Amino acid sequence: MEWLLDPAAWVGLLTLVVLEIVLGIDNLIFIAILADKLPPSQRDRARILGLSLALVMRLGLLSVMSWLVTLTTPLFSIGPLAPSGRDLILMAGGFFLLFKGTMELHERLEGGGHGSSSGPRVYASFWVIVTQIVVLDAVFSLDSVITAVGMVDHLAIMMIAVIIAIGIMLLASKPLTRFVNAHPTVVVLCLGFLLMIGFSLLAESFGFKVPKGYLYAAIGFSVAIEALNQLARRNLLKLDARRPMRERTAAAVLRMLGKRPPADEPDLPSANAPAIPAFGVEERNMVSGVLTLAERSIRSIMTPRTDVSWINIDDDADTIRGQLIEAPHSFFPVCRGSLDEVLGIGRAKDLIADLLTEGRVRRNRLRDPIIVHEAIGILRLMDTLKRSRGQLVLVADEFGAIEGLVTPIDVFEAIAGEFPDEDELPDIVADGEHTWKIDGAADLHHVEQVLETEGLIDEAQDFSTLAGYLLSRFGHLPKPGDACEYEIHHDHFRFEVLEMDGRRIALVRVDKKPQEPLSDEASLTND
């Protein structure tokens, strides 16, 4: 241990630590790119495992320095070429880097292998990524150890330098990984570095020594240019952030819809101007209603059969007159005996006039009913409503039974929220802070907006109301007092059945309790 008193040994240790870190940066960059292919929960584990394997491999190679020296001995000769074991390892590593770097660059530029907006991202297998990291560790460890052997004479100094360098890289790897993955242009630049390093390894394996200074100078110049690009982008984002949120959102939506925003931009507010609220809850809900309208089913916006007000032509005049006076509607389906036997659509004032003059409803004054299938899309339904000239549209199932009716106000409510008639109460009523009483027939889209949550709607299930959701959760007809719970992100919801109307869930109380995230799965409890 006499080297501890030798100043030259300490200088060599410091220099070797710096060189080991520099030589390990390319390995660290490649580990960061490979780790991004794994699920987020496995990335730190792969990163630490990869660097730990590099440490073990380098310490193992240092302990067999006598064998390492023999790697420079030519194994065979082919003409002017006499490759050694080191040359073959460098050649294999160079080809691997060129191949892997090219494939990664292709995926980044062409968009393959990284998921898409139309489906969930597909992650790579953990051990496949670890195997690739081990292969690269072997190449980079060999280069690092050969550098260490050529610089100092004491094995202890070499091992200490390697341990310190790997420790520093472990500390810096997570911030570097986060930065690289957050900036796509930096990833492309790093892949360019790997291609350059792979080419230099390949050239060195054939006896063409590429000075490391050239590589580091090129890398440094590229990093400086990219730093300027990132600074310019950051300043541009800061400048754009001074524009009101409403204006930026409107411009983004117009661009997505193919409309170019006006060239004359308004004056930007000063940085010291007070912050203006971007969008209120109602405005966000309206925008959400517009964007999701085409995806909704007609069942989610129609008035269900049980709530339809219709006229039975066989009733006496007084009964019909009383029904017309009590109901605040302009149009009524006129049927014989049941809603499925539709004769036509009558205007309220025309029906009253017939009752006053004729004492009965005249069938020849009824309008022909407009009936659509329940599978029709909302956009096609809107075209039908436009042609109906304000008349209601009936919805039928595949057997011809009337399921409900739709009016223009129903489409408007799907966008802007409820507009109850005189004979209706709001479906959702606040009953204190974080507590609501909700009608079982309330639309699930509206419920999600009021509760400020998501996940209640399941496109695979055939329900669109809160009652339908609860029935799917319970699996049986509940009784008053039965409850189920739902947890998502930071919120905990409890749905309790308050009233039943026959076999229909009439009223539900919902309690919202913010909490720490436990699970995104809903749990069911019967009280």
Side-chain angles (χ1 to χ4, degrees), residues 323-394:
Q323 188 175 354
L324 292 174
I325 293 174
E326 292 178 0
H329 305 305
S330 300
F331 290 92
F332 291 84
V334 179
C335 313
R336 186 181 298 278
S338 72
L339 183 59
D340 295 325
E341 300 296 330
V342 182
L343 303 177
I345 305 297
R347 187 191 294 265
K349 64 178 184 179
D350 295 336
L351 296 176
I352 291 290
D354 287 345
L355 294 175
L356 292 176
T357 58
E358 303 287 338
R360 60 183 178 86
V361 175
R362 295 169 56 185
R363 290 190 56 179
N364 59 355
R365 297 189 61 180
L366 298 179
R367 302 185 181 189
D368 293 333
I370 301 176
I371 302 177
V372 298
H373 190 264
E374 61 180 352
I376 189 175
I378 298 295
L379 298 182
R380 290 181 58 192
L381 173 65
M382 292 175 63
D383 290 335
T384 303
L385 288 171
K386 291 176 183 178
R387 296 193 300 269
S388 70
R389 299 179 181 271
Q391 180 178 322
L392 56 83
V393 174
L394 298 173

Side-chain angles (χ1 to χ4, degrees), residues 203-367:
E204 190 172 346
S205 68
F206 285 96
F208 299 98
K209 180 69 174 178
V210 179
K212 297 292 185 183
Y214 291 170
L215 297 179
Y216 295 144
I219 292 175
F221 179 76
S222 300
V223 169
I225 297 298
E226 180 61 24
L228 294 177
N229 287 333
Q230 292 293 332
L231 181 62
R233 176 175 175 80
R234 181 181 178 185
N235 291 335
L236 183 62
L237 292 176
K238 289 174 62 177
L239 182 65
D240 188 61
R242 294 171 57 188
R243 298 169 58 196
M245 174 67 75
R246 298 172 66 93
E247 182 182 329
R248 282 183 282 153
T249 304
V253 171
L254 288 176
R255 282 194 295 267
M256 287 190 295
L257 296 177
K259 183 175 181 180
R260 186 182 298 275
D264 51 336
E265 296 291 344
D267 296 333
L268 297 177
S270 63
N272 297 326
I276 302 175
F279 292 95
V281 176
E282 296 82 1
E283 292 173 308
R284 290 199 303 269
N285 291 342
M286 287 180 64
V287 172
S288 173
V290 170
L291 296 179
T292 60
L293 184 61
E295 302 174 359
R296 297 179 61 170
S297 66
I298 192 173
R299 296 173 62 90
S300 68
I301 70 169
M302 73 179 186
T303 301
R305 177 189 180 101
T306 54
D307 295 335
V308 173
S309 299
W310 57 280
I311 301 298
N312 187 355
I313 198 172
D314 293 332
D315 288 341
D316 59 80
D318 292 336
T319 302
I320 297 175
R321 186 183 301 109
Q323 188 175 354
L324 292 174
I325 293 174
E326 292 178 0
H329 305 305
S330 300
F331 290 92
F332 291 84
V334 179
C335 313
R336 186 181 298 278
S338 72
L339 183 59
D340 295 325
E341 300 296 330
V342 182
L343 303 177
I345 305 297
R347 187 191 294 265
K349 64 178 184 179
D350 295 336
L351 296 176
I352 291 290
D354 287 345
L355 294 175
L356 292 176
T357 58
E358 303 287 338
R360 60 183 178 86
V361 175
R362 295 169 56 185
R363 290 190 56 179
N364 59 355
R365 297 189 61 180
L366 298 179
R367 302 185 181 189

Side-chain angles (χ1 to χ4, degrees), residues 140-220:
F140 290 118
S141 297
L142 183 65
D143 192 26
S144 173
V145 170
I146 291 176
T147 302
V149 171
M151 282 196 60
V152 295
D153 298 326
H154 299 284
L155 177 62
I157 295 179
M158 300 178 196
M159 289 189 170
I160 292 174
V162 168
I163 293 174
I164 294 175
I166 294 293
I168 294 175
M169 290 166 62
L170 275 172
L171 295 176
S173 61
K174 188 169 185 177
L176 178 63
T177 301
R178 189 184 302 115
F179 176 80
V180 167
N181 293 334
H183 298 81
T185 56
V186 175
V187 175
V188 174
L189 183 64
C190 293
L191 290 173
F193 294 164
L194 293 178
L195 291 175
M196 185 170 60
I197 294 171
F199 179 77
S200 68
L201 293 177
L202 196 60
E204 190 172 346
S205 68
F206 285 96
F208 299 98
K209 180 69 174 178
V210 179
K212 297 292 185 183
Y214 291 170
L215 297 179
Y216 295 144
I219 292 175

Side-chain angles (χ1 to χ4, degrees), residues 69 75 103 154 161 290 388 423 432 520:
V69 173
L75 299 178
M103 295 300 296
H154 299 284
V290 170
S388 70
D423 61 341
D520 284 352

